[in-house]
Amino acid sequence: MTKQLTDNVRCLGNRHFNFFIVGQKEAALIECGVTGAVVNFYQQWQSAVLQPEIRYLIAMHAHFDHVCGIPALRKMFPTAAVAASPHAQKVMGKPTVMENFFAQDEQMVQVLMKEGFLPEPVRVPPAQTIIVDYLLEDGDTLYLRTGIKLEIIAAPGHSPCSLAAYLPADKVMFLSDAAGFQISDTEIFPIFFQGYELYVETIKRLMGYPTNVLGIAHERIWTGNDIEIFYKRALEAAQNAFKEIREMTEAGLQEAEMKDRLFNRYYQGNLRIYTPENIHTCIDLLIKRVQECL
């Protein structure tokens, strides 16, 4: 899968994991995915006519499915600097956290094989901490040759370390997981793991940028008038989840029943690339974050 989204942006990878190359002569790679998806990226890169110098590997936030591809990408681009937020740097420096991350990375290889993206098993690197070379914070700008600049935007709500990036020249917003995970083209799993209000504020903030292309880390990439539809769907998904959890809490439902209802509602479609254990943990966080607001 290789898509030319604008003059300055290409998307490689597979439909579950999007890697965005931003720049023509010198480039930033936005999203670092998982080891298995880097195999797809590598194959597409090898056959690409245009191979700009990759200056940055940008980890948009420190969850396994956004950082476990970094070791493989470092081998491809040894001079590139890994860039992330200060909070992400702390997460990726914790051995116990990274051990869990790479265990999930192993499981994702099996998923990608089952779905036909990988013809054979891929060796996942040993669990390791990841060094961040370049820190990114809200308001920073990355400059690339030929006048390309990327504006860095703090995008809290999903996680404390979440970033978005905006390319004003082409009006492209890279929002990673800031607005949820696309279960399908019409349904979103709201993922306000850090905080509900922060999550909603971030979505509304990102909506304010003139945008022709919405570069999301997973699944469909939205363009044109459909961008507004996506954003509204993301807000509604978060608001509906909040309302349902609040109503179940106020009705006195046992937490186990609440978890089962939400798991059965959301564990569908594209979300099944993750293990049930992973999504159960996600559901626990959603319930906790809503109840903190009550």
Side-chain angles (χ1 to χ4, degrees):
M1 179 196 76
T2 301
K3 298 179 181 178
Q4 189 74 41
L5 301 179
T6 70
D7 289 344
N8 295 300
V9 182
R10 278 181 292 160
C11 179
L12 280 67
N14 61 52
R15 76 179 179 87
H16 295 310
F17 295 94
N18 297 318
F19 299 81
F20 300 100
I21 298 173
V22 182
Q24 297 183 28
K25 293 184 178 181
E26 182 180 65
L29 178 58
I30 296 180
E31 297 294 354
C32 299
V34 292
T35 301
V38 173
V39 172
N40 301 131
F41 174 87
Y42 175 79
Q43 293 166 340
Q44 295 155 4
W45 177 262
Q46 288 295 97
S47 61
V49 175
L50 181 63
Q51 294 185 347
E53 175 192 350
I54 303 298
R55 184 174 175 187
Y56 300 104
L57 304 174
I58 303 181
M60 300 294 275
H61 62 283
H63 288 163
F64 94 93
D65 51 334
H66 297 261
V67 303
C68 282
I70 290 175
L73 291 169
R74 273 194 183 275
K75 288 184 178 180
M76 290 181 63
F77 310 112
T79 63
V82 173
S85 69
H87 191 95
Q89 180 188 43
K90 292 178 183 179
V91 174
M92 290 190 279
K94 296 179 179 179
T96 54
V97 171
M98 299 309 292
E99 183 176 354
N100 174 269
F101 278 11
F102 281 99
Q104 294 184 70
D105 192 32
E106 287 268 14
Q107 294 174 313
M108 189 59 72
V109 168
Q110 300 304 313
V111 171
L112 294 177
M113 286 180 61
K114 184 177 179 181
E115 295 211 1
F117 293 113
L118 296 173
E120 57 187 13
V122 173
R123 180 181 174 275
V124 169
Q128 58 189 276
T129 57
I130 294 175
I131 295 172
V132 174
D133 308 298
Y134 193 92
L135 293 177
L136 298 172
E137 302 200 52
D138 188 52
D140 286 350
T141 300
L142 289 180
Y143 294 93
L144 301 166
R145 287 202 300 267
T146 67
I148 298 298
K149 67 176 183 177
L150 271 173
E151 298 176 2
I152 304 302
I153 306 164
H158 173 54
S159 72
C161 57
S162 290
L163 299 172
Y166 182 65
L167 180 65
D170 294 6
K171 296 182 180 178
V172 181
M173 176 64 75
F174 305 96
L175 76 172
S176 199
D177 286 351
F181 182 90
Q182 300 182 91
I183 296 173
S184 68
D185 286 353
T186 58
E187 188 172 5
I188 291 175
F189 180 40
I191 46 181
F192 45 87
F193 302 155
Q194 179 191 5
Y196 171 74
E197 292 179 352
L198 280 172
Y199 183 83
V200 170
E201 288 171 7
T202 289
I203 295 174
K204 290 180 178 179
R205 181 185 181 190
L206 298 180
M207 289 175 74
Y209 286 77
T211 304
N212 293 333
V213 178
L214 204 56
I216 304 176
H218 311 287
E219 313 303 335
R220 182 171 171 179
I221 295 166
W222 297 83
T223 60
N225 294 332
D226 289 337
I227 291 171
E228 183 178 0
I229 295 172
F230 170 85
Y231 274 135
K232 288 182 177 179
R233 184 181 295 132
L235 283 174
E236 288 173 1
Q239 292 161 353
N240 290 341
F242 184 95
K243 179 182 177 182
E244 183 175 3
I245 293 169
R246 182 191 64 200
E247 290 176 349
M248 289 191 293
T249 300
E250 292 174 347
L253 266 68
Q254 294 295 314
E255 192 163 301
E257 184 176 353
M258 294 170 61
K259 291 178 181 179
D260 285 344
R261 286 191 184 186
L262 293 169
F263 181 83
N264 292 332
R265 173 185 301 277
Y266 292 117
Y267 197 54
Q268 309 289 338
N270 299 325
L271 200 60
R272 287 184 173 271
I273 65 173
Y274 301 100
T275 65
E277 293 78 15
N278 182 305
I279 303 307
H280 276 297
T281 299
C282 295
I283 295 295
D284 290 347
L285 287 170
L286 295 182
I287 293 172
K288 183 177 181 179
R289 296 304 174 235
V290 172
Q291 292 178 342
E292 287 173 350
C293 297
L294 302 180

